[in-house]
Amino acid sequence: AEGFIFPATYDFAYGTSEEKMLQTMVSTFNKRMEQEGILKEVAERKLDLHDVVTMAAMVEFEAAFTEEQPRIAGVFDKRVKIGMPIQSDTTIQYLLGKQKEVVLYKDLEIDSPYNTYKNPGLPPGPIGSPGVSAIKAVLKPEKSDYLYFVAEKDGHHRFTKTFAEHQRAINDIEAGK
């Protein structure tokens, strides 16, 4: 059910079974996707909902700010289309099973289908449950020439077109520029 549990606050009576809670959260996901027109759009465009949610979960966890979600989705979409690994730190955090302040180079070498540094394309499934805005961002990704982004200290991102620009952005951020 990872990815298909709608992120919300739920009130359950004491003693409600885990199965009933899970059914409620997945049912809420399905209702919200219907209400937002997402299921219809996915069907009309002949997309795979599982793939949309998988990408949206990465977008959700990469973007600290909702306004950046379409641009991040655009970078991921472009990378998938050209056969370039997505290289999302969020998938590394997921396969590690814990949040690390800094993902290390050795973490990028872990052999896992969720390692989007080693494997091109989407990971096998969602790494969490995305909200509606991230799913909509995946359905309408921003078109740009960007292939890279790096997080600033405040959570915003610097987007760049080339690896050399990306490296400069990383160095500038580390230097406080």
Side-chain angles (χ1 to χ4, degrees):
E2 184 96 70
F4 296 89
I5 298 170
F6 193 75
T9 301
Y10 296 90
D11 291 319
F12 294 107
Y14 181 79
T16 302
S17 72
E18 290 175 5
E19 184 177 305
K20 180 62 179 162
M21 286 187 238
L22 185 58
Q23 287 173 346
T24 299
M25 291 184 259
V26 171
S27 176
T28 301
F29 174 88
N30 290 329
K31 286 177 190 166
R32 285 297 305 273
M33 295 304 103
E34 184 71 36
Q35 290 169 347
E36 297 288 337
I38 290 169
L39 295 179
K40 181 180 178 189
E41 184 172 351
V42 166
E44 286 173 352
R45 292 174 54 189
K46 295 180 176 42
L47 299 173
D48 182 307
L49 181 62
H50 185 266
D51 289 349
V52 170
V53 172
T54 298
M55 176 87 75
M58 290 186 297
V59 169
E60 180 78 35
F61 290 103
E62 285 283 2
F65 297 95
T66 305
E67 66 269 13
E68 288 188 344
Q69 288 178 339
R71 185 169 290 164
I72 290 170
V75 170
F76 288 164
D77 184 57
K78 187 172 191 159
R79 283 175 166 238
V80 168
K81 285 180 177 166
I82 66 173
M84 182 178 182
I86 294 172
Q87 298 179 323
S88 173
D89 286 359
T90 62
T91 61
I92 302 300
Q93 302 276 14
Y94 179 80
L95 70 90
L96 290 171
K98 63 181 178 181
Q99 284 295 110
K100 292 177 73 174
E101 190 172 324
V102 177
V103 174
L104 304 173
Y105 286 114
K106 70 178 185 172
D107 299 329
L108 307 181
E109 294 302 318
I110 296 170
D111 198 22
S112 167
Y114 282 90
N115 186 338
T116 57
Y117 280 82
K118 292 184 98 174
N119 305 302
L122 295 172
I127 60 168
S129 294
V132 170
S133 63
I135 295 170
K136 287 184 174 182
V138 168
L139 293 173
K140 292 184 178 48
E142 183 179 306
K143 303 295 182 208
S144 73
D145 292 331
Y146 297 127
L147 276 174
Y148 301 91
F149 59 88
V150 60
E152 304 252 11
K153 304 268 188 243
D154 70 354
H156 286 91
H157 291 86
R158 287 192 198 181
F159 294 84
T160 54
K161 299 173 186 176
T162 68
F163 186 68
E165 290 173 349
H166 179 63
Q167 287 299 120
R168 277 193 300 278
I170 291 169
N171 293 337
D172 286 351
I173 289 168
E174 288 175 353
K177 296 181 188 176

Short mmCIF file of all heavy atoms in Angstrom, two decimals, residues 58-121:
data_model
loop_
_atom_site.label_atom_id
_atom_site.label_comp_id
_atom_site.label_asym_id
_atom_site.label_seq_id
_atom_site.Cartn_x
_atom_site.Cartn_y
_atom_site.Cartn_z
N MET A 58 8.77 10.59 -5.04
CA MET A 58 10.11 11.18 -5.07
C MET A 58 10.02 12.70 -5.10
O MET A 58 10.77 13.39 -4.40
CB MET A 58 10.90 10.66 -6.28
CG MET A 58 11.29 9.22 -6.16
SD MET A 58 12.36 8.66 -7.50
CE MET A 58 11.30 8.85 -8.91
N VAL A 59 9.11 13.22 -5.91
CA VAL A 59 8.92 14.67 -6.00
C VAL A 59 8.50 15.23 -4.64
O VAL A 59 9.03 16.25 -4.19
CB VAL A 59 7.87 15.03 -7.09
CG1 VAL A 59 7.47 16.49 -7.02
CG2 VAL A 59 8.41 14.67 -8.48
N GLU A 60 7.58 14.55 -3.98
CA GLU A 60 7.09 14.98 -2.66
C GLU A 60 8.24 15.13 -1.66
O GLU A 60 8.32 16.12 -0.94
CB GLU A 60 6.08 13.97 -2.12
CG GLU A 60 5.51 14.30 -0.77
CD GLU A 60 4.43 15.37 -0.79
OE1 GLU A 60 3.64 15.43 -1.76
OE2 GLU A 60 4.37 16.16 0.18
N PHE A 61 9.12 14.15 -1.65
CA PHE A 61 10.19 14.15 -0.65
C PHE A 61 11.39 15.00 -1.06
O PHE A 61 12.17 15.39 -0.21
CB PHE A 61 10.60 12.72 -0.31
CG PHE A 61 9.53 12.02 0.48
CD1 PHE A 61 8.71 11.10 -0.14
CD2 PHE A 61 9.30 12.31 1.81
CE1 PHE A 61 7.68 10.46 0.56
CE2 PHE A 61 8.29 11.68 2.53
CZ PHE A 61 7.48 10.75 1.90
N GLU A 62 11.54 15.30 -2.33
CA GLU A 62 12.62 16.20 -2.78
C GLU A 62 12.26 17.66 -2.54
O GLU A 62 13.12 18.47 -2.23
CB GLU A 62 12.92 16.00 -4.28
CG GLU A 62 13.68 14.75 -4.61
CD GLU A 62 15.18 14.82 -4.32
OE1 GLU A 62 15.69 15.83 -3.80
OE2 GLU A 62 15.84 13.81 -4.59
N ALA A 63 11.00 18.00 -2.74
CA ALA A 63 10.57 19.40 -2.73
C ALA A 63 10.10 19.84 -1.35
O ALA A 63 9.07 19.38 -0.87
CB ALA A 63 9.45 19.62 -3.75
N ALA A 64 10.84 20.72 -0.73
CA ALA A 64 10.41 21.30 0.53
C ALA A 64 9.33 22.35 0.28
O ALA A 64 8.55 22.67 1.17
CB ALA A 64 11.59 21.93 1.26
N PHE A 65 9.28 22.86 -0.95
CA PHE A 65 8.33 23.91 -1.31
C PHE A 65 7.48 23.44 -2.49
O PHE A 65 8.03 23.04 -3.53
CB PHE A 65 9.07 25.21 -1.65
CG PHE A 65 9.83 25.76 -0.48
CD1 PHE A 65 11.18 25.47 -0.31
CD2 PHE A 65 9.19 26.54 0.47
CE1 PHE A 65 11.89 25.95 0.78
CE2 PHE A 65 9.89 27.02 1.58
CZ PHE A 65 11.24 26.73 1.73
N THR A 66 6.17 23.52 -2.33
CA THR A 66 5.23 23.04 -3.35
C THR A 66 5.48 23.66 -4.71
O THR A 66 5.37 22.98 -5.73
CB THR A 66 3.78 23.32 -2.90
OG1 THR A 66 3.58 22.73 -1.61
CG2 THR A 66 2.77 22.74 -3.86
N GLU A 67 5.87 24.93 -4.75
CA GLU A 67 6.05 25.60 -6.03
C GLU A 67 7.19 25.00 -6.86
O GLU A 67 7.26 25.20 -8.07
CB GLU A 67 6.24 27.12 -5.86
CG GLU A 67 7.50 27.53 -5.15
CD GLU A 67 7.38 27.68 -3.64
OE1 GLU A 67 6.37 27.24 -3.05
OE2 GLU A 67 8.31 28.25 -3.04
N GLU A 68 8.09 24.26 -6.22
CA GLU A 68 9.19 23.64 -6.95
C GLU A 68 8.83 22.24 -7.48
O GLU A 68 9.59 21.67 -8.27
CB GLU A 68 10.44 23.54 -6.07
CG GLU A 68 11.08 24.88 -5.83
CD GLU A 68 12.43 24.77 -5.14
OE1 GLU A 68 12.75 23.71 -4.56
OE2 GLU A 68 13.17 25.76 -5.19
N GLN A 69 7.71 21.70 -7.07
CA GLN A 69 7.35 20.34 -7.47
C GLN A 69 7.28 20.15 -8.99
O GLN A 69 7.84 19.17 -9.50
CB GLN A 69 6.05 19.89 -6.80
CG GLN A 69 6.22 19.64 -5.32
CD GLN A 69 4.93 19.25 -4.64
OE1 GLN A 69 3.82 19.51 -5.12
NE2 GLN A 69 5.06 18.61 -3.48
N PRO A 70 6.62 21.04 -9.75
CA PRO A 70 6.58 20.82 -11.21
C PRO A 70 7.97 20.86 -11.87
O PRO A 70 8.22 20.11 -12.82
CB PRO A 70 5.70 21.96 -11.72
CG PRO A 70 4.87 22.36 -10.54
CD PRO A 70 5.77 22.16 -9.35
N ARG A 71 8.86 21.69 -11.37
CA ARG A 71 10.20 21.77 -11.95
C ARG A 71 10.99 20.50 -11.62
O ARG A 71 11.68 19.95 -12.49
CB ARG A 71 10.95 23.01 -11.44
CG ARG A 71 12.30 23.17 -12.13
CD ARG A 71 12.94 24.49 -11.86
NE ARG A 71 12.16 25.50 -12.57
CZ ARG A 71 12.23 26.81 -12.32
NH1 ARG A 71 13.05 27.26 -11.40
NH2 ARG A 71 11.50 27.65 -12.99
N ILE A 72 10.90 20.03 -10.39
CA ILE A 72 11.57 18.78 -10.02
C ILE A 72 10.99 17.62 -10.82
O ILE A 72 11.73 16.78 -11.34
CB ILE A 72 11.48 18.54 -8.50
CG1 ILE A 72 12.36 19.57 -7.77
CG2 ILE A 72 11.87 17.11 -8.13
CD1 ILE A 72 12.18 19.61 -6.26
N ALA A 73 9.68 17.58 -10.95
CA ALA A 73 9.04 16.54 -11.76
C ALA A 73 9.54 16.60 -13.20
O ALA A 73 9.75 15.57 -13.84
CB ALA A 73 7.52 16.68 -11.72
N GLY A 74 9.74 17.81 -13.70
CA GLY A 74 10.25 17.98 -15.06
C GLY A 74 11.66 17.43 -15.22
O GLY A 74 11.98 16.81 -16.24
N VAL A 75 12.51 17.66 -14.21
CA VAL A 75 13.88 17.12 -14.26
C VAL A 75 13.82 15.59 -14.26
O VAL A 75 14.47 14.93 -15.08
CB VAL A 75 14.73 17.65 -13.09
CG1 VAL A 75 16.06 16.91 -13.00
CG2 VAL A 75 14.97 19.15 -13.22
N PHE A 76 13.03 15.02 -13.35
CA PHE A 76 12.93 13.56 -13.28
C PHE A 76 12.36 12.99 -14.58
O PHE A 76 12.86 11.99 -15.10
CB PHE A 76 12.06 13.13 -12.11
CG PHE A 76 12.68 13.32 -10.75
CD1 PHE A 76 11.89 13.29 -9.62
CD2 PHE A 76 14.04 13.51 -10.58
CE1 PHE A 76 12.43 13.44 -8.35
CE2 PHE A 76 14.61 13.67 -9.32
CZ PHE A 76 13.79 13.63 -8.20
N ASP A 77 11.33 13.61 -15.09
CA ASP A 77 10.69 13.14 -16.33
C ASP A 77 11.69 13.17 -17.49
O ASP A 77 11.79 12.21 -18.26
CB ASP A 77 9.47 14.02 -16.65
CG ASP A 77 8.71 13.54 -17.86
OD1 ASP A 77 8.26 12.38 -17.86
OD2 ASP A 77 8.55 14.34 -18.81
N LYS A 78 12.43 14.25 -17.58
CA LYS A 78 13.42 14.38 -18.65
C LYS A 78 14.50 13.31 -18.53
O LYS A 78 14.89 12.69 -19.53
CB LYS A 78 14.05 15.78 -18.61
CG LYS A 78 14.95 16.07 -19.78
CD LYS A 78 15.37 17.52 -19.76
CE LYS A 78 16.04 17.85 -21.07
NZ LYS A 78 16.05 19.24 -21.34
N ARG A 79 14.96 13.07 -17.32
CA ARG A 79 15.99 12.05 -17.10
C ARG A 79 15.49 10.67 -17.51
O ARG A 79 16.21 9.92 -18.17
CB ARG A 79 16.45 12.04 -15.65
CG ARG A 79 17.39 13.19 -15.32
CD ARG A 79 17.73 13.22 -13.84
NE ARG A 79 18.87 14.08 -13.63
CZ ARG A 79 20.00 13.71 -13.06
NH1 ARG A 79 20.16 12.48 -12.63
NH2 ARG A 79 20.98 14.56 -12.91
N VAL A 80 14.27 10.35 -17.13
CA VAL A 80 13.70 9.04 -17.50
C VAL A 80 13.61 8.92 -19.02
O VAL A 80 14.00 7.90 -19.60
CB VAL A 80 12.31 8.83 -16.85
CG1 VAL A 80 11.60 7.63 -17.45
CG2 VAL A 80 12.46 8.65 -15.34
N LYS A 81 13.15 9.97 -19.67
CA LYS A 81 12.97 9.93 -21.13
C LYS A 81 14.27 9.77 -21.90
O LYS A 81 14.29 9.17 -22.96
CB LYS A 81 12.22 11.18 -21.61
CG LYS A 81 10.75 11.11 -21.28
CD LYS A 81 10.00 12.34 -21.74
CE LYS A 81 8.53 12.16 -21.45
NZ LYS A 81 7.77 13.40 -21.56
N ILE A 82 15.37 10.30 -21.35
CA ILE A 82 16.65 10.19 -22.06
C ILE A 82 17.48 9.00 -21.56
O ILE A 82 18.61 8.81 -21.99
CB ILE A 82 17.47 11.49 -22.02
CG1 ILE A 82 17.92 11.84 -20.60
CG2 ILE A 82 16.68 12.64 -22.66
CD1 ILE A 82 18.88 13.02 -20.52
N GLY A 83 16.92 8.24 -20.63
CA GLY A 83 17.62 7.06 -20.13
C GLY A 83 18.71 7.35 -19.11
O GLY A 83 19.58 6.52 -18.85
N MET A 84 18.65 8.53 -18.52
CA MET A 84 19.62 8.93 -17.51
C MET A 84 19.10 8.53 -16.13
O MET A 84 17.90 8.69 -15.86
CB MET A 84 19.79 10.46 -17.57
CG MET A 84 20.79 11.04 -16.64
SD MET A 84 20.85 12.85 -16.95
CE MET A 84 22.12 13.30 -15.79
N PRO A 85 19.92 8.02 -15.24
CA PRO A 85 19.44 7.71 -13.89
C PRO A 85 18.84 8.95 -13.22
O PRO A 85 19.34 10.07 -13.40
CB PRO A 85 20.69 7.24 -13.15
CG PRO A 85 21.59 6.73 -14.23
CD PRO A 85 21.33 7.64 -15.41
N ILE A 86 17.79 8.76 -12.47
CA ILE A 86 17.10 9.86 -11.79
C ILE A 86 18.00 10.48 -10.72
O ILE A 86 17.99 11.68 -10.52
CB ILE A 86 15.77 9.39 -11.19
CG1 ILE A 86 14.81 9.01 -12.32
CG2 ILE A 86 15.16 10.46 -10.30
CD1 ILE A 86 13.53 8.34 -11.86
N GLN A 87 18.76 9.69 -10.02
CA GLN A 87 19.69 10.14 -8.99
C GLN A 87 19.02 10.97 -7.90
O GLN A 87 19.43 12.09 -7.61
CB GLN A 87 20.87 10.89 -9.62
CG GLN A 87 21.68 10.03 -10.56
CD GLN A 87 22.84 10.76 -11.20
OE1 GLN A 87 22.73 11.93 -11.55
NE2 GLN A 87 23.95 10.06 -11.37
N SER A 88 18.00 10.39 -7.30
CA SER A 88 17.28 11.06 -6.22
C SER A 88 17.79 10.58 -4.86
O SER A 88 17.71 9.39 -4.56
CB SER A 88 15.79 10.77 -6.34
OG SER A 88 15.10 11.28 -5.21
N ASP A 89 18.29 11.51 -4.05
CA ASP A 89 18.73 11.16 -2.71
C ASP A 89 17.59 10.58 -1.88
O ASP A 89 17.84 9.79 -0.96
CB ASP A 89 19.31 12.38 -1.99
CG ASP A 89 20.68 12.77 -2.49
OD1 ASP A 89 21.23 12.09 -3.38
OD2 ASP A 89 21.22 13.77 -1.97
N THR A 90 16.37 10.95 -2.18
CA THR A 90 15.24 10.44 -1.41
C THR A 90 15.11 8.93 -1.53
O THR A 90 14.70 8.27 -0.57
CB THR A 90 13.91 11.10 -1.83
OG1 THR A 90 13.64 10.80 -3.19
CG2 THR A 90 13.95 12.60 -1.64
N THR A 91 15.47 8.37 -2.68
CA THR A 91 15.39 6.91 -2.81
C THR A 91 16.52 6.24 -2.02
O THR A 91 16.34 5.13 -1.51
CB THR A 91 15.44 6.47 -4.29
OG1 THR A 91 16.67 6.88 -4.89
CG2 THR A 91 14.27 7.03 -5.07
N ILE A 92 17.64 6.91 -1.88
CA ILE A 92 18.74 6.37 -1.07
C ILE A 92 18.32 6.37 0.40
O ILE A 92 18.52 5.39 1.12
CB ILE A 92 20.04 7.19 -1.28
CG1 ILE A 92 20.46 7.20 -2.76
CG2 ILE A 92 21.15 6.66 -0.38
CD1 ILE A 92 20.74 5.84 -3.36
N GLN A 93 17.71 7.47 0.84
CA GLN A 93 17.21 7.54 2.21
C GLN A 93 16.20 6.41 2.47
O GLN A 93 16.22 5.77 3.52
CB GLN A 93 16.53 8.90 2.47
CG GLN A 93 17.41 10.10 2.24
CD GLN A 93 18.28 10.47 3.42
OE1 GLN A 93 18.45 9.71 4.34
NE2 GLN A 93 18.87 11.65 3.35
N TYR A 94 15.35 6.16 1.50
CA TYR A 94 14.34 5.11 1.63
C TYR A 94 14.99 3.74 1.78
O TYR A 94 14.63 2.96 2.66
CB TYR A 94 13.40 5.13 0.42
CG TYR A 94 12.34 4.06 0.44
CD1 TYR A 94 11.19 4.22 1.20
CD2 TYR A 94 12.48 2.90 -0.31
CE1 TYR A 94 10.20 3.25 1.22
CE2 TYR A 94 11.50 1.92 -0.30
CZ TYR A 94 10.36 2.10 0.46
OH TYR A 94 9.39 1.14 0.49
N LEU A 95 15.95 3.43 0.92
CA LEU A 95 16.55 2.10 0.99
C LEU A 95 17.42 1.94 2.24
O LEU A 95 17.60 0.83 2.74
CB LEU A 95 17.32 1.75 -0.29
CG LEU A 95 18.62 2.45 -0.63
CD1 LEU A 95 19.80 1.70 -0.04
CD2 LEU A 95 18.78 2.51 -2.14
N LEU A 96 17.93 3.05 2.78
CA LEU A 96 18.69 2.99 4.03
C LEU A 96 17.76 2.76 5.23
O LEU A 96 18.20 2.30 6.28
CB LEU A 96 19.49 4.28 4.25
CG LEU A 96 20.67 4.51 3.32
CD1 LEU A 96 21.24 5.91 3.50
CD2 LEU A 96 21.74 3.46 3.54
N GLY A 97 16.50 3.14 5.06
CA GLY A 97 15.53 2.96 6.14
C GLY A 97 15.58 4.04 7.20
O GLY A 97 14.94 3.92 8.24
N LYS A 98 16.34 5.10 6.94
CA LYS A 98 16.42 6.22 7.89
C LYS A 98 16.87 7.47 7.16
O LYS A 98 17.49 7.40 6.11
CB LYS A 98 17.40 5.90 9.02
CG LYS A 98 18.83 5.70 8.55
CD LYS A 98 19.77 5.35 9.67
CE LYS A 98 21.17 5.11 9.10
NZ LYS A 98 22.13 4.75 10.07
N GLN A 99 16.54 8.60 7.75
CA GLN A 99 16.96 9.88 7.19
C GLN A 99 18.37 10.19 7.66
O GLN A 99 18.67 10.08 8.85
CB GLN A 99 16.02 11.00 7.65
CG GLN A 99 14.68 11.02 6.95
CD GLN A 99 14.82 11.33 5.48
OE1 GLN A 99 14.61 10.46 4.66
NE2 GLN A 99 15.16 12.53 5.14
N LYS A 100 19.21 10.55 6.73
CA LYS A 100 20.56 11.01 7.05
C LYS A 100 20.66 12.47 6.63
O LYS A 100 20.08 12.85 5.61
CB LYS A 100 21.59 10.18 6.27
CG LYS A 100 21.70 8.74 6.70
CD LYS A 100 22.68 7.98 5.85
CE LYS A 100 24.09 8.37 6.16
NZ LYS A 100 25.08 7.54 5.44
N GLU A 101 21.38 13.23 7.40
CA GLU A 101 21.57 14.63 7.05
C GLU A 101 22.33 14.75 5.73
O GLU A 101 22.02 15.59 4.90
CB GLU A 101 22.29 15.38 8.16
CG GLU A 101 22.30 16.87 7.94
CD GLU A 101 22.84 17.64 9.13
OE1 GLU A 101 22.58 17.22 10.27
OE2 GLU A 101 23.51 18.66 8.90
N VAL A 102 23.32 13.88 5.55
CA VAL A 102 24.13 13.90 4.33
C VAL A 102 24.21 12.48 3.78
O VAL A 102 24.59 11.55 4.49
CB VAL A 102 25.56 14.43 4.63
CG1 VAL A 102 26.42 14.38 3.38
CG2 VAL A 102 25.52 15.84 5.20
N VAL A 103 23.84 12.33 2.51
CA VAL A 103 24.00 11.05 1.82
C VAL A 103 25.45 10.99 1.36
O VAL A 103 25.96 11.91 0.72
CB VAL A 103 23.04 10.94 0.62
CG1 VAL A 103 23.31 9.68 -0.18
CG2 VAL A 103 21.59 10.96 1.10
N LEU A 104 26.12 9.90 1.70
CA LEU A 104 27.54 9.75 1.39
C LEU A 104 27.73 9.00 0.07
O LEU A 104 26.85 8.26 -0.38
CB LEU A 104 28.24 8.98 2.51
CG LEU A 104 28.09 9.57 3.91
CD1 LEU A 104 28.68 8.62 4.95
CD2 LEU A 104 28.73 10.94 3.99
N TYR A 105 28.90 9.18 -0.54
CA TYR A 105 29.19 8.48 -1.79
C TYR A 105 29.06 6.97 -1.63
O TYR A 105 28.58 6.28 -2.52
CB TYR A 105 30.57 8.85 -2.34
CG TYR A 105 30.61 10.24 -2.93
CD1 TYR A 105 31.37 11.25 -2.34
CD2 TYR A 105 29.88 10.55 -4.07
CE1 TYR A 105 31.39 12.53 -2.88
CE2 TYR A 105 29.91 11.82 -4.61
CZ TYR A 105 30.66 12.81 -4.02
OH TYR A 105 30.68 14.07 -4.55
N LYS A 106 29.45 6.44 -0.48
CA LYS A 106 29.34 4.99 -0.26
C LYS A 106 27.87 4.55 -0.26
O LYS A 106 27.57 3.43 -0.63
CB LYS A 106 30.05 4.56 1.02
CG LYS A 106 29.38 5.00 2.31
CD LYS A 106 30.13 4.48 3.52
CE LYS A 106 29.33 4.86 4.78
NZ LYS A 106 29.85 4.26 5.97
N ASP A 107 26.96 5.44 0.15
CA ASP A 107 25.53 5.11 0.13
C ASP A 107 25.04 4.94 -1.31
O ASP A 107 24.11 4.16 -1.56
CB ASP A 107 24.70 6.21 0.81
CG ASP A 107 25.06 6.40 2.27
OD1 ASP A 107 25.45 5.41 2.93
OD2 ASP A 107 24.95 7.55 2.75
N LEU A 108 25.65 5.65 -2.22
CA LEU A 108 25.23 5.60 -3.63
C LEU A 108 25.64 4.30 -4.30
O LEU A 108 25.18 4.00 -5.41
CB LEU A 108 25.81 6.79 -4.40
CG LEU A 108 25.55 8.17 -3.82
CD1 LEU A 108 26.17 9.24 -4.71
CD2 LEU A 108 24.07 8.43 -3.62
N GLU A 109 26.47 3.52 -3.64
CA GLU A 109 26.95 2.25 -4.20
C GLU A 109 26.12 1.05 -3.74
O GLU A 109 26.36 -0.07 -4.18
CB GLU A 109 28.42 2.04 -3.82
CG GLU A 109 29.35 3.06 -4.46
CD GLU A 109 29.27 3.07 -5.97
OE1 GLU A 109 29.22 1.98 -6.58
OE2 GLU A 109 29.24 4.17 -6.56
N ILE A 110 25.16 1.28 -2.87
CA ILE A 110 24.35 0.17 -2.35
C ILE A 110 23.59 -0.48 -3.50
O ILE A 110 22.98 0.20 -4.33
CB ILE A 110 23.37 0.67 -1.27
CG1 ILE A 110 24.15 1.21 -0.07
CG2 ILE A 110 22.41 -0.44 -0.84
CD1 ILE A 110 23.30 1.93 0.96
N ASP A 111 23.65 -1.79 -3.53
CA ASP A 111 22.99 -2.55 -4.59
C ASP A 111 21.53 -2.77 -4.20
O ASP A 111 21.23 -3.57 -3.31
CB ASP A 111 23.72 -3.89 -4.79
CG ASP A 111 23.38 -4.53 -6.11
OD1 ASP A 111 22.96 -3.81 -7.04
OD2 ASP A 111 23.55 -5.76 -6.23
N SER A 112 20.64 -2.03 -4.84
CA SER A 112 19.20 -2.12 -4.56
C SER A 112 18.44 -1.60 -5.77
O SER A 112 18.89 -0.66 -6.43
CB SER A 112 18.85 -1.25 -3.35
OG SER A 112 17.45 -1.08 -3.24
N PRO A 113 17.28 -2.17 -6.06
CA PRO A 113 16.47 -1.63 -7.15
C PRO A 113 15.96 -0.21 -6.86
O PRO A 113 15.54 0.50 -7.76
CB PRO A 113 15.31 -2.62 -7.29
CG PRO A 113 15.30 -3.42 -6.05
CD PRO A 113 16.68 -3.36 -5.47
N TYR A 114 16.03 0.20 -5.59
CA TYR A 114 15.63 1.57 -5.21
C TYR A 114 16.78 2.57 -5.36
O TYR A 114 16.58 3.76 -5.14
CB TYR A 114 15.09 1.60 -3.78
CG TYR A 114 13.67 1.08 -3.71
CD1 TYR A 114 13.43 -0.26 -3.48
CD2 TYR A 114 12.59 1.92 -3.92
CE1 TYR A 114 12.14 -0.75 -3.44
CE2 TYR A 114 11.30 1.44 -3.89
CZ TYR A 114 11.08 0.10 -3.65
OH TYR A 114 9.79 -0.37 -3.63
N ASN A 115 17.95 2.11 -5.73
CA ASN A 115 19.09 3.01 -5.89
C ASN A 115 18.99 3.65 -7.28
O ASN A 115 19.39 3.07 -8.28
CB ASN A 115 20.41 2.28 -5.73
CG ASN A 115 21.59 3.22 -5.76
OD1 ASN A 115 21.51 4.33 -6.29
ND2 ASN A 115 22.71 2.78 -5.19
N THR A 116 18.46 4.85 -7.30
CA THR A 116 18.26 5.56 -8.58
C THR A 116 19.54 6.22 -9.08
O THR A 116 19.51 6.90 -10.10
CB THR A 116 17.13 6.61 -8.46
OG1 THR A 116 17.45 7.52 -7.39
CG2 THR A 116 15.79 5.94 -8.21
N TYR A 117 20.64 6.01 -8.39
CA TYR A 117 21.94 6.42 -8.91
C TYR A 117 22.51 5.31 -9.79
O TYR A 117 23.17 5.59 -10.78
CB TYR A 117 22.92 6.73 -7.77
CG TYR A 117 22.71 8.10 -7.19
CD1 TYR A 117 21.72 8.32 -6.24
CD2 TYR A 117 23.48 9.18 -7.59
CE1 TYR A 117 21.52 9.58 -5.70
CE2 TYR A 117 23.30 10.44 -7.07
CZ TYR A 117 22.31 10.64 -6.12
OH TYR A 117 22.10 11.89 -5.62
N LYS A 118 22.23 4.07 -9.44
CA LYS A 118 22.77 2.92 -10.18
C LYS A 118 21.81 2.43 -11.27
O LYS A 118 22.26 1.85 -12.25
CB LYS A 118 23.06 1.76 -9.22
CG LYS A 118 24.20 2.03 -8.27
CD LYS A 118 24.48 0.82 -7.43
CE LYS A 118 25.65 0.10 -8.07
NZ LYS A 118 26.12 -1.03 -7.27
N ASN A 119 20.53 2.60 -11.06
CA ASN A 119 19.52 2.04 -11.97
C ASN A 119 18.76 3.14 -12.70
O ASN A 119 18.18 4.01 -12.05
CB ASN A 119 18.53 1.20 -11.17
CG ASN A 119 19.21 0.13 -10.35
OD1 ASN A 119 19.91 -0.71 -10.89
ND2 ASN A 119 19.02 0.16 -9.04
N PRO A 120 18.73 3.10 -14.01
CA PRO A 120 17.91 4.08 -14.74
C PRO A 120 16.42 3.76 -14.56
O PRO A 120 16.06 2.65 -14.19
CB PRO A 120 18.35 3.91 -16.19
CG PRO A 120 18.89 2.52 -16.26
CD PRO A 120 19.44 2.19 -14.90
N GLY A 121 15.59 4.74 -14.81
CA GLY A 121 14.15 4.54 -14.70
C GLY A 121 13.67 4.68 -13.27
O GLY A 121 14.42 5.06 -12.36
#
